[in-house]
Amino acid sequence: MTKWHLYSEPFARTGNIAAEGFRKLLGRPALGLLQTVIREAMQNSIDASTTGRGPEVLLRSRLLSSPEARWLLEDLFRELPEEGDASCELHGLLMGGKIRVFEICDFGTTGLGGPTRADFPVEPTEDPDFVNFLRNVGAPRDTHQGGGTYGYGKTSLYSLSACATIIIDTQTRYQGEAVRRMMACQLGSAYDADSPVGRRRFTGRHWWGTGDGDGGVDPLSGHDATAAASSLGLPKRNPDHPGTSILILAPRVEEESDAVPSGADLVETVLWNFWPRMCACMEPSRRLKVRISVDGEDIPCPAPEQFPPLDLFAEAFNDCRKRKGVDEIRSKRPKKLLGHLAIRRGMRADRHHVALRAESAIPRQASHIALMRPVELVVRYMPGEPFPDRRFEWGGVFICSDEDDVERAFADSEPPAHDDWIPNMLPSGREKTFVNVALKLLAENAKTYVAPRPGDAAAGERGPSLARTAAAMGQILDASSARGPGRQRGSGGSDSKSKTLSISPARFVRLALADEGRKLAVFNADLMNDAQDELLRVKAEPYLVMDGGAATAEDLPVDFTGGIESLRFGEKTTQEHVLLVGTVSGVIECMVPVPEEAAVGLRLQLVSGARS
């Protein structure tokens, strides 16, 4: 079997990028380190999927067996870098006993093909994926309207490793022939050391492979690569099932932390970032399949439709793809269709246990727009105004236009981690305008979806009326709410002839829990008093509401009594429906029991002393 050799990169006369600079190329992503790694790797897997077949990805966290750990120490890393820190980190890991690894393995992809040396010419029919991933820095996007690149985001793979070391195993094709390749890489720091030509400066980038006859190393290939992958317990591969495995040594969830990826971390990261490609509406040729394994245990990954609030986002995504009930987002100067927006709302469903963790990024009440390019991967979520009643939520999807100039504008506005759209990254001109206008209009939609401003939903401007949708929800929350869209109902009861005496419609404030765990809806209203009636009272009338308006007698659930928990005004509190307010102005608070799977509204009526 071919022996592994170490190659440490010296600086060229014309200069190189030092390993420290290579690490910093990613910048500071808005996402956590694990999310950034999985997004980068899986985006590349999706871009490399073979025609007519959706990729399959295995995410696996495991401890190496004793023979596997011994193979690393005695075979692959038999030679260690002269650089002190890099050598100590790697040696300490290998000698420390149990070694944990995290693997991202794809199947049904093209693998890392092309030449193995960066100075070799590339044939027009070949993709230089191998050198772009393992050797080059900053390669441009090589997939039309693809999700990622091999350029900068790959530095996150090294950041996830406590010793900045990864091992690559790939089954691919080169010059028409099937080939297996395996190589290891480490990012250290620039240093000085002796060499055959004297004292030299080195970049801190290290590769392990087989000697190339020119002082460097190439990847192990053929049977040697297959045997090495087997020694490390990597997935079996053959020419009929191409793809790539990335093994990250000693993974950690965050820098300066010993925490390692958990099953819940992986499930959440995959679903929150890649649910569009996992939806039932996605064509089989593009659908992403994900398997998760932690220490030999398979971790189920729910379908997006079964993982609230992604069920709402999935519905909006399907609407967006079918152009059903969507809003067109357009710029006026220049006139251009920038993309389509769809929004779905519904009752807040119970969360999967993964989303109930304190550290979960999944919102407890969704009010966001998922931003995407036509590759249909989530760039980020734009937050919006939530429903005041936390029993309801909404989710939207915006997909930018697939016209080349528009899609290119959004793609070029993304930082290396592909986790945002930043117009200032673009030069002044049409492309910067496209992104600026889209983000401004989307932010306005997100802010006003729950409570549209007057005239916001003019026909022909926003497609199917968001005001009509919000008005229907307003009836569910409380048709008399001062925040709800549409015409407000009167207070329905003041006999005073003074124009200064009034009570505002009751507005829903929040949900609360009684001692017995019963849910209570808390309403507030503002009383403006003319101080003419010392016996003035306020009367509270709870009622049940359904989707579209007040319920009929047949709709009433058995646990709805029409009673109240408390009616409070200043220091006065009662459990009766009527409370004396006299000549004082102030805020009235009423707490109403809420039946299961229903919503309640509240009418407040002023009753003068003359009517008692």
Side-chain angles (χ1 to χ4, degrees), residues 18 23 90 93 124 149 158 196 216 345 349 359 396 408 448 488 531 542 588:
R23 291 192 192 201
L90 194 50
L93 170 69
T149 72
Y158 298 91
R345 51 85 173 171
E359 65 273 21
R408 184 173 58 251
T448 62
Q488 297 180 4
I588 296 168

Side-chain angles (χ1 to χ4, degrees), residues 43-314:
Q43 284 178 3
N44 285 330
S45 295
I46 288 171
D47 287 346
S49 60
T50 54
T51 304
R53 178 179 176 180
E56 181 178 343
V57 175
L58 167 66
L59 302 179
R60 184 168 65 171
S61 176
R62 63 185 175 104
L63 290 171
L64 296 184
S65 67
S66 295
E68 291 165 351
R70 188 168 57 253
W71 180 85
L72 280 183
L73 175 65
E74 298 176 357
D75 289 80
L76 201 163
F77 296 120
R78 182 172 46 88
E79 296 180 72
L80 295 178
E82 291 189 44
E83 178 202 342
D85 290 343
S87 179
C88 286
E89 288 175 353
L90 194 50
H91 184 265
L93 170 69
L94 297 173
M95 300 299 293
K98 294 182 178 180
I99 301 175
R100 180 166 292 277
V101 298
F102 177 57
E103 298 158 314
I104 306 172
C105 312
D106 63 41
F107 307 88
T109 65
T110 57
L112 300 177
T116 59
R117 290 178 49 160
D119 58 344
F120 279 7
V122 181
E123 298 295 329
T125 56
E126 300 282 355
D127 291 321
D129 293 332
F130 185 88
V131 293
N132 283 345
F133 187 81
L134 285 139
R135 301 195 192 268
N136 290 337
V137 179
R141 183 170 60 155
D142 57 1
T143 301
H144 179 65
Q145 296 190 357
T149 72
Y150 289 137
Y152 300 110
K154 65 185 179 186
T155 62
S156 63
L157 299 170
Y158 298 91
S159 299
L160 188 65
S161 168
C163 55
T165 304
I166 66 174
I167 301 170
I168 305 299
D169 170 40
T170 186
Q171 178 73 54
T172 186
R173 299 187 70 83
Y174 178 50
Q175 295 181 341
E177 299 293 331
V179 60
R180 184 80 173 262
R181 296 168 170 174
M182 191 170 178
M183 199 172 207
C185 316
Q186 184 184 36
L187 281 185
S189 301
Y191 65 101
D192 297 333
D194 292 329
S195 75
V197 295
R199 195 78 173 165
R200 294 194 67 178
R201 183 83 173 151
F202 291 81
T203 67
R205 299 175 69 195
H206 310 283
W207 290 267
W208 284 263
T210 183
D212 64 1
D214 197 24
V217 293
D218 277 334
L220 263 68
S221 61
H223 294 299
D224 288 336
T226 300
S230 178
S231 298
L232 199 50
L234 290 168
K236 295 181 179 180
R237 297 186 180 277
N238 61 61
D240 294 329
H241 296 88
T244 300
S245 297
I246 302 171
L247 184 148
I248 300 171
L249 278 176
R252 53 189 178 181
V253 174
E254 296 295 341
E255 294 188 72
E256 311 302 330
S257 171
D258 293 330
V260 299
S262 68
D265 291 330
L266 299 177
V267 169
E268 176 178 314
T269 299
V270 167
L271 286 171
W272 192 234
N273 292 282
F274 292 95
W275 62 264
R277 285 299 190 99
M278 302 170 71
C279 283
C281 67
M282 181 61 62
E283 312 85 80
S285 61
R286 302 178 69 235
R287 189 177 302 153
L288 174 67
K289 298 177 183 178
V290 179
R291 294 184 293 126
I292 297 173
S293 175
V294 176
D295 293 328
E297 178 185 358
D298 291 336
I299 308 297
C301 190
E305 293 83 357
Q306 304 300 320
F307 192 88
L310 296 185
D311 53 341
L312 289 178
F313 287 102

Side-chain angles (χ1 to χ4, degrees), residues 480-540:
S480 61
S481 169
R483 292 191 63 186
R487 185 176 299 175
Q488 297 180 4
R489 297 181 180 178
S491 58
S494 174
D495 287 339
S496 171
K497 295 182 180 180
S498 172
K499 295 182 179 180
T500 59
L501 177 63
S502 65
I503 186 169
S504 69
R507 58 184 177 272
F508 175 80
V509 178
R510 60 186 172 86
L511 284 177
L513 289 177
D515 293 339
E516 305 82 8
R518 293 179 297 112
K519 290 187 291 186
L520 303 173
V522 182
F523 296 88
N524 281 354
D526 300 314
L527 170 63
M528 296 293 294
N529 209 319
D530 61 358
Q532 300 297 313
D533 188 350
E534 293 183 353
L535 298 178
L536 183 68
R537 294 169 295 171
V538 64
K539 182 178 180 180

Side-chain angles (χ1 to χ4, degrees), residues 423-435:
N424 288 340
M425 293 185 63
L426 302 171
S428 297
R430 286 166 52 93
E431 293 189 347
K432 187 173 184 177
T433 298
F434 292 159
V435 181

